[in-house]
Structure formats: C-alpha cells, structure tokens
C-alpha cells in the first residue's frame, strides 16, 4: 500500500486504546547501524520502532517495549509497552533509543490521562458509539464535521492527503483516544473497519480543483468507488458530498434536485462538475447492484472558520482584501448571484441527511441570494473597510445564478439554515483577522487561475 501514517494517536499498552484504535508516530531519525534484522520497521514510514535484542528474553524481560506503526491500507496495529533497563546485546544507539522512548511514553501517558486538554465529549454506550471515517477531514468543511462527531462521542478516523486540508484544523484532537488521522489518498484502496463513511475528499474551489484536473477527477470517481467498496465490505452507510456545480450554469432558478443541469463537459470546470456527477452515478450504481446504503448531499456555497485563506473563493478573498484595505476584486460585472450558507448549518444538514431515510440527492444551502457586488458591499460594511471595488475579466463558465431549492431537505430530513449571512460573516471575519495576525499581517489572495494550495504571505 502507498498509504502512510501521518499524525498518529499513541497507544499506552493496556492503559489506552484497543488495538484497532491505535496509531503510533515513529522517531524522526534512524540511528547509524540499525538494520531491519535488529528492529521492527514500520514499512513506508521514514522512522524506526523499538529494537529487539538478539538474545533470548528472560522471564524478567516480559514487560518489554514494542512500538509500531499502523498502515492505513491494512489497518495493522502495534503497541507501546514499557521498556526494560538496557541489557546485554544492545548497542549504545539502541540503549539510547529505549531511554528516549520511555521518556516519550511517559509524556504521552500524562497527556492522555489529562482529559482537560480536549474539548468535552459525550460518553456513549458501546452499542451507540460508531466508528466513523471522514475523508477530507482536515479540510474546511471536514474539520468542522469532525468536531461535531467527536463531541457527540463517536470514534472518528480522519483520512486526508493534505492537498488542501491542514493539520491545524484538527490538531486540537490529536492524542484523544477517540481520534485517529491517516495521511492517505482515497484514489488508493484502504482496509478499515467502520460503521459510517462521510466522503468529503476533493478540492472544492476552482483554482485548486483546476490545478490538477486529473487528480480531481480520480478523487471523485476512483476514490468514490474505493470508498463504496469499503462500505460494501463493512455494510456501512456512506454519504457523498456532491455539489451545486452539478447544475452547471443553470437555466432555472432556484435549482431543484430534479433539474439535470447545464454543464460544459469540456470546460475548465468540467474536471470537478462532471466528476461529481459521475460520483453520484457510482453511488446509485452500488445501491442498485450491491444494496449499499447511500446518501448524497449537493452543497451550495459555504463559508466560515477554517476556510483556506488562499482558496480563491468570494468570501475569503473579499474579507482578506477588505481587512488589508486592498481592492475587492470582482470577476465580471458582479451581477452573477450566489447563495451563501454558514458552515455550521451545512454540518447540521450533512448529519441530518446521513441519519435520515432519503437516499436520493438533497440540496443543502441557504436560499438567501446576493449578487456578488452586493456581497462585496456587505463585507466592506462589516469590516469597516475603505477598500474600492475593482472589476476584472469574467471567469469562463462562471454560473450566472446559484440558488438552492431546499423544500426537499425541509420535508425529508427536517433541515433548514439557522445562521443568517450577516451573523456568519461576522464570525468568519474574526477568524480571518486571527489568520492575518498569525501570518504577520499579510495574506495574498489568489484569482481564478489554477493554483496549488498554500499560504501566500506578503504584498
């Protein structure tokens, strides 16, 4: 498997998690002289695990140290146990590593026992606690969903290749016994034991998904198929986060789920639009052929804390530009409309659809519609910015209208947005002020051209 383990929960023998809940991060360097015959190596990881002595263990050595890594692809688990004092047959490097690992184990145990470092989580009965896989769980929407699932008391496995996902979005859960992170690309198969799968993996902003269109297509097609195979093996329910982009540049407004869309199959956005459409097709093919329980959410424009500062989206660009007194750049005449929902409402909707009985696609969005120019003016007002509004050339295939019909969501799962656009923006502005401070007061926004994700500092 090409899967590698990234941020890993540490096991503490019998004092911590069960075997299938554990992951372990190896030391960063391999001491000179170590060889596979002298240690249990975590394959595919640039590190080592606890060395073994070549001599036969005596009964007093039963409490020996074992450290290992879990491969995301086959869900193997190894354990950390206490290490004995240095014994004959070990090199100085091996003895030093044992001492360092003992110290590390002590540090990890102190954090694991001190639950006050984590947000409080519910304690569910064993028959109610689910093992939930969230692909793209380190991203903007995914990390907000992870918070809700963790607080609800479930065991959460985050799978992310960290193309657009960021470790800082989920770092506050690292070390919690209910939390595991796998650095893994959904394009490659994975073997896990799970009860539910939330498939959010995919870049979602045009500059990011156009940067590597083939990867975007594979993530939403081959990646979706791999997760459907996983769901089939586990008899698990799977939810696919589709998009309002399946409607393309719509000829009807608002858009109902029954509308088939108006998509350019060879345009610059096609890698995302058509891949999401095919992802939906995969979902319903597996439902028909293999009785897999499927759910599909079509997400409309969403904003809130943990948006990537350099995603090129309207909300992040306008807020960052306004906070720095830079021109607010509108692509086109600004009369194209968008409907914006706050991320908390989206998470509510996703969870409601997962728990509901409706397997056909459901729109999740806020019908509160703005022209892009109106939205820019609102952000100027809320940030108290003197920024000018600047018009640039329109983006190709940019939809003229985007507004969800949410009657089905209200009827089937009892969902509707609760947070107003104004309230959500105020909370998002606070977030981006913090991001600016962390980055020395400078962040550069990106336009609509393909761009690799990353923080861009400076003017």
């Amino acid at each position: 498997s090409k899967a590698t383990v990234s941020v890993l929960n540490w096991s503490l023998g019998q004092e911590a998690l069960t075997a299938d809940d554990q992951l372990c991060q190896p030391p960063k360097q391999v001491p000179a002289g170590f060889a596979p015959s002298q240690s249990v190596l975590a394959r595919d990881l640039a590190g080592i695990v606890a060395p073994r002595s070549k001599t036969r263990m005596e009964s007093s050595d039963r409490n020996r140290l074992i450290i290992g890594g879990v491969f995301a692809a086959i869900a193997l688990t190894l354990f950390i146990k206490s290490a004995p004092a240095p014994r004959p047959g070990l090199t100085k490097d091996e003895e030093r590593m044992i001492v360092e690992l003992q110290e590390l184990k002590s540090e990890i145990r102190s954090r694991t026992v001190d639950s006050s470092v984590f947000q409080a989580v519910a304690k569910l009965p064993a028959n109610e606690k689910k093992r939930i896989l969230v692909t793209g769980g380190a991203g903007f929407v995914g990390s907000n969903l992870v918070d809700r699932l963790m607080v609800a008391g479930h065991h959460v496995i985050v799978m992310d290749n960290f193309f657009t996902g960021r470790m800082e979005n989920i770092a506050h859960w690292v070390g919690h016994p209910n939390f595991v992170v796998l650095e893994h690309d959904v394009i490659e198969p994975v073997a896990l034991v799970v009860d539910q799968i939330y498939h959010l993996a995919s870049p979602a902003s045009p500059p990011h998904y156009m940067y590597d269109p083939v990867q975007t297509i594979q993530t939403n097609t081959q990646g979706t198929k791999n997760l459907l195979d996983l769901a089939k093996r586990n008899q698990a329910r799977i939810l696919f986060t589709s998009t309002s982009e399946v409607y393309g540049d719509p000829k009807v407004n608002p858009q109902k789920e029954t509308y088939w869309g108006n998509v350019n199959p060879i345009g610059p956005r096609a890698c995302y639009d058509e891949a999401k459409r095919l992802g939906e097709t995969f979902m319903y093919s597996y439902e028909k052929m293999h009785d897999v329980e499927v759910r599909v959410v079509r997400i409309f424009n969403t904003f809130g804390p943990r948006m990537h500062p350099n995603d090129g989206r309207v909300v992040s660009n306008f807020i960052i530009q306004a906070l720095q007194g830079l021109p607010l750049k509108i692509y086109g005449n600004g009369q194209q409309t968008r409907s914006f929902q706050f991320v908390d409402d989206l998470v509510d909707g996703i969870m409601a659809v997962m728990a509901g009985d409706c397997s056909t696609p459901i729109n999740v969005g806020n019908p509160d519609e703005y022209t892009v120019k109106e939205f820019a003016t609102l952000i100027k007002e809320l940030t108290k910015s003197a920024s000018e509004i600047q018009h640039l050339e329109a983006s190709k295939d940019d939809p003229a209208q985007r507004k969800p019909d949410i009657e089905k969501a209200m009827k089937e799962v009892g969902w509707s947005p609760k947070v107003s656009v104004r309230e959500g923006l105020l909370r998002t502005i606070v977030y981006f002020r913090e991001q600016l401070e962390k980055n020395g007061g400078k962040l550069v926004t990106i336009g609509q051209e393909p761009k690799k994700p990353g923080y861009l500092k400076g003017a």
Side-chain angles (χ1 to χ4, degrees):
S1 171
K2 297 181 181 178
T4 57
V5 180
S6 175
V7 177
L8 308 160
N9 286 338
W10 293 88
S11 59
L12 297 173
Q14 297 178 351
E15 301 172 358
L17 311 177
T18 57
D20 63 350
D21 287 341
Q22 301 170 38
L23 292 171
C24 176
Q25 181 177 359
K28 294 182 179 178
Q29 290 187 328
V30 180
F34 268 55
S37 61
Q38 295 171 309
S39 62
V40 181
L41 296 180
R43 189 181 59 196
D44 293 337
L45 298 178
I48 69 163
V49 297
R52 291 182 181 174
S53 169
K54 293 182 180 179
T55 61
R56 181 179 179 83
M57 295 284 183
E58 300 296 335
S59 60
S60 61
D61 292 328
R62 290 175 183 173
N63 191 27
R64 63 188 179 276
L65 175 67
I66 301 175
I67 294 182
V70 177
F71 307 119
I74 54 177
L76 294 178
T77 308
L78 302 174
F79 306 88
I80 301 177
K81 294 187 178 180
S82 60
R87 52 191 181 270
L90 296 181
T91 67
K92 290 183 178 180
D93 283 332
E94 290 174 326
E95 291 178 358
R96 177 177 56 79
M97 287 300 299
I98 289 177
V99 172
E100 290 178 357
L101 290 167
Q102 283 179 308
E103 293 173 350
L104 181 58
K105 174 188 172 183
S106 177
E107 179 183 343
I108 295 166
R109 180 186 288 113
S110 66
R111 178 173 181 182
T112 303
V113 173
D114 184 10
S115 61
S116 64
V117 300
F118 301 109
Q119 185 176 351
V121 302
K123 294 183 179 181
L124 296 176
N127 63 334
E128 295 180 15
K129 185 174 183 178
K130 293 181 173 64
R131 290 177 56 87
I132 301 175
L133 173 64
V134 181
T135 69
F140 161 44
V141 176
S143 63
N144 280 280
L145 173 62
V146 165
D147 284 354
R148 291 287 296 279
L149 296 173
M150 286 292 296
V151 170
H154 297 294
H155 179 100
V156 178
I157 304 168
V158 167
M159 182 188 296
D160 207 300
N161 68 355
F162 294 95
F163 178 66
T164 58
R166 295 181 292 160
M167 187 56 62
E168 66 185 71
N169 290 340
I170 53 174
H172 54 289
W173 291 117
V174 173
H176 194 286
N178 289 348
F179 184 73
V180 171
V181 179
L182 302 178
E183 184 176 353
H184 180 81
D185 197 313
V186 295
I187 292 174
E188 300 295 336
V190 65
L192 295 169
V193 177
V194 294
D195 301 307
Q196 288 184 347
I197 301 170
Y198 288 87
H199 180 21
L200 283 74
S202 177
S205 70
H208 291 169
Y209 65 63
M210 291 190 297
Y211 175 76
D212 189 342
V214 174
Q215 174 80 9
T216 299
I217 294 169
Q218 289 181 307
T219 298
N220 288 288
T221 55
Q222 184 61 48
T224 301
K225 181 183 182 300
N226 288 337
L227 294 169
L228 282 162
D229 287 333
L230 181 65
K232 177 186 172 183
R233 289 195 299 271
N234 283 274
Q235 295 184 324
R237 180 174 293 186
I238 177 172
L239 181 146
F240 176 59
T241 52
S242 187
T243 172
S244 61
E245 296 295 330
V246 300
Y247 301 124
D249 188 5
K251 300 301 183 182
V252 299
N253 198 49
Q255 294 86 53
K256 285 179 172 286
E257 291 85 353
T258 53
Y259 178 56
W260 290 359
N262 177 43
V263 177
N264 178 357
I266 58 172
R269 293 170 175 256
C271 62
Y272 185 69
D273 302 1
E274 296 288 25
K276 286 293 188 182
R277 290 163 70 99
L278 185 53
E280 291 189 14
T281 304
F282 263 120
M283 294 288 282
Y284 294 112
S285 296
Y286 267 71
E287 181 186 49
K288 292 174 184 176
M289 291 186 64
H290 305 298
D291 294 322
V292 175
E293 283 192 88
V294 302
R295 301 290 184 267
V296 173
V297 171
R298 290 177 179 167
I299 299 174
F300 283 68
N301 293 71
T302 305
F303 68 95
R306 299 183 190 159
M307 293 185 77
H308 200 297
N310 303 125
D311 63 8
R313 300 190 205 198
V314 169
V315 176
S316 52
N317 274 6
F318 283 175
I319 293 177
I320 290 173
Q321 289 162 357
L323 290 175
Q324 297 179 97
L326 302 173
L328 274 61
K329 298 179 180 179
I330 294 177
Y331 296 87
N333 60 17
Q335 296 308 304
Q336 63 269 42
T337 68
R338 296 292 183 268
S339 299
F340 299 94
Q341 68 180 330
F342 190 61
V343 66
D344 288 1
D345 283 332
L346 173 58
V347 170
D348 286 342
I350 290 174
M351 294 179 69
V353 172
M354 175 64 94
D357 297 324
C358 180
S359 66
T360 54
I362 295 180
N363 289 339
V364 177
N366 189 335
D368 196 1
E369 188 177 19
Y370 292 80
T371 67
V372 172
K373 188 171 183 178
E374 288 172 342
F375 202 70
T377 302
L378 176 59
I379 288 178
K380 279 186 60 178
E381 173 194 334
L382 296 179
T383 57
K384 298 180 173 58
S385 174
S387 295
E388 298 178 351
I389 292 178
Q390 180 180 358
H391 291 270
L392 303 176
E393 183 180 354
S395 302
K396 186 177 181 181
D397 292 341
D398 190 29
Q401 295 177 312
R402 185 71 84 233
K403 179 180 179 179
D405 184 311
I406 61 169
E407 181 180 353
K408 185 176 180 180
M410 296 171 67
K411 178 181 177 182
E412 296 291 345
V413 298
W415 176 87
S416 62
K418 300 294 188 296
V419 181
S420 71
V421 171
R422 179 177 289 266
E423 178 187 346
L425 282 175
L426 288 172
R427 291 162 64 177
T428 307
I429 289 168
V430 171
Y431 166 76
F432 277 115
R433 286 190 193 278
E434 294 173 350
Q435 293 297 305
L436 277 167
E437 291 176 4
K438 290 180 180 179
N439 287 271
K442 294 286 186 180
L443 282 174
V444 177
T445 56
I446 62 175
Q448 298 301 296
E449 295 301 314
K451 195 77 175 179
K452 185 177 181 179
Y455 276 89
L456 302 176
K457 301 181 183 180

